[in-house]
Amino acid sequence: MRPPKPASRAERVSLWRYLKLFRADILSAQPERLFRARMAEFRTPFFRSFLVNETELVRLVLRERASEFPKSGRVGEGLRPLLGNAVFLTNGARWQAQRRIIDPAFEGGRLRHAFPAMVAAGQALVERLAARPGPVEVEEMASKVTADVIFRSLFSIPISEQTAAQVFREFRAFQASQPILNVGAFVALPRWFPRFHRRATRRTARRLRGLMYRLTMARMADIEAGRAPDDLATKIMTTPDPETGACFGVEEMVDQVAIFFLAGHETSAAALGWALFLLAQFPEAQMRAAAEAARLPETPELSDISALKFTRNVFREALRLYPPVPMLVREAARAQRFRGRAVPRGAQVVVSPWHLHRNPRYWSDPDGFDPDRFSRAREAAAVKDAYIPFSAGPRVCPGAGFAMAEGTVLLAMILKQFRLDLLERAPPVPRAHLTVRARDGIWLGIAPRTAAAHGDGA
């Protein structure tokens, strides 16, 4: 039994047919041969694109010469209605200034400070599941609990059931209405030219940003009144740029809160949903993870994470098989040469975790589910160089440690109390717009776990 994977396109198709497939779903549009390719070139009348799929080129683009490969403004056009000028989209001096303010919030003891918020959100989830046993759409469940983590970590408030449901619906609607590529991705348009974002895209972005604006304004009022809690939002909003002394203004902070929701909630929810499905699909792995979880105290502390080695590896394997952000698109700021081939200035350079994580030149049984690969010496090089669920280099996600702790402890808290079972329905099909989600959701049976079940995998 293999984890589900969309059928790759085998035949050659015309440019316009490919663009139509790509717009519908970037995963199933990819030919199978790309998983083995070291590099591939794709030409359109408007630009050239290069997919790099060997570790040497990935290291060059993301780490060694990162300044020569800034984020692609073409792909960023699709995210602009929601993210504005968030750190995920900016480049150069503006990006550097944003990271100087944001990075300190995730350094030192901030994870220890935020960990109780993860546990509190997990406990609230366990209570909800205990009150409503039965089949559960786990993508929605995962979305609600990770939104709760973000609310508690950023703003020190639990999310209401109504708001959590709204956030899930709006993010799903935004992804459905906004493909990763729009007209701005194909033509270098001037800034004043309209981007033709769909009406539904603009509407859902306005609603999500409205929620974030209200939270940001309320926190600014608390800061001015001297009653703001010491959480991530307060830390980021009161940290000046050490070089200029400037702090984020209201709109700038709303942009950053938007990316924290996308990167810290939507991507974490996607990974958690797939991890839960994989544990249901592979009962022996579920039994091992549940045995670890059984030893957790009722209210885990950050130090307890170290005892969840296999559970952590399950989450890492879910991130390998279903990286939430399947493709990282950069732009060549100057002419380059890759593997003896000319890469012109302005070309799009795609680093694809979706392909690199399943490249058989680096991974044994690349399409298989094998959490133990992260503990084996023979795959240490692949883990080091061919595993980039959070990107790499200067633009690595500052919340990577946060996400790993969150995913591990939430999995353990769920498994400590509940058994995950497959239902008699077709397996979920991975599909990507902004993140890798299931086409029709992920439904699992979730039932209370008896004390004996920790030992027999039932």
Side-chain angles (χ1 to χ4, degrees), residues 111 115 118 302 305 308 312 315 390 399-411:
L111 178 56
F115 191 75
M118 301 176 191
L302 184 59
I305 290 288
L308 300 173
R312 177 182 172 87
F315 192 66
F390 302 106
F402 183 103
M404 284 304 306
E406 175 191 25
T408 303
V409 75
L410 289 177
L411 279 178

Side-chain angles (χ1 to χ4, degrees), residues 344-363:
R345 180 177 180 271
Q348 306 297 283
V349 178
V350 180
V351 177
S352 173
W354 180 256
H355 293 92
L356 189 66
H357 289 184
R358 293 173 182 263
N359 189 324
R361 287 185 288 109
Y362 302 115
W363 302 95

Side-chain angles (χ1 to χ4, degrees), residues 94-155:
R94 187 171 200 169
W95 170 77
Q96 292 170 354
Q98 291 171 333
R99 287 294 295 254
R100 287 195 297 267
I101 294 173
I102 291 169
D103 285 357
F106 291 93
E107 292 175 351
R110 299 305 299 188
L111 178 56
R112 184 173 300 278
H113 187 85
F115 191 75
M118 301 176 191
V119 172
Q123 290 171 332
L125 170 63
V126 167
E127 291 176 6
R128 291 195 299 273
L129 290 174
R132 296 196 296 269
V136 174
E137 205 288 272
V138 295
E139 284 197 327
E140 182 171 3
M141 180 192 81
S143 179
K144 289 178 179 179
V145 70
T146 56
D148 195 10
V149 170
I150 288 295
F151 265 62
R152 293 173 189 262
S153 302
L154 267 176
F155 295 105

Side-chain angles (χ1 to χ4, degrees), residues 20-27 75 79 171-181 198 262 266 324-327 430-439:
K20 186 176 180 180
L21 290 169
F22 196 100
R23 188 174 186 270
D25 172 35
I26 61 178
L27 303 184
V75 173
L79 297 173
F171 266 103
R172 175 164 282 188
F174 184 84
Q175 294 203 55
S177 68
Q178 178 55 61
I180 196 168
L181 298 179
R198 295 179 181 178
L262 181 62
E266 172 63 19
V325 180
M327 296 184 188
R431 184 178 182 181
H433 281 286
L434 301 180
T435 58
V436 176
R437 291 284 205 165
R439 186 178 60 198

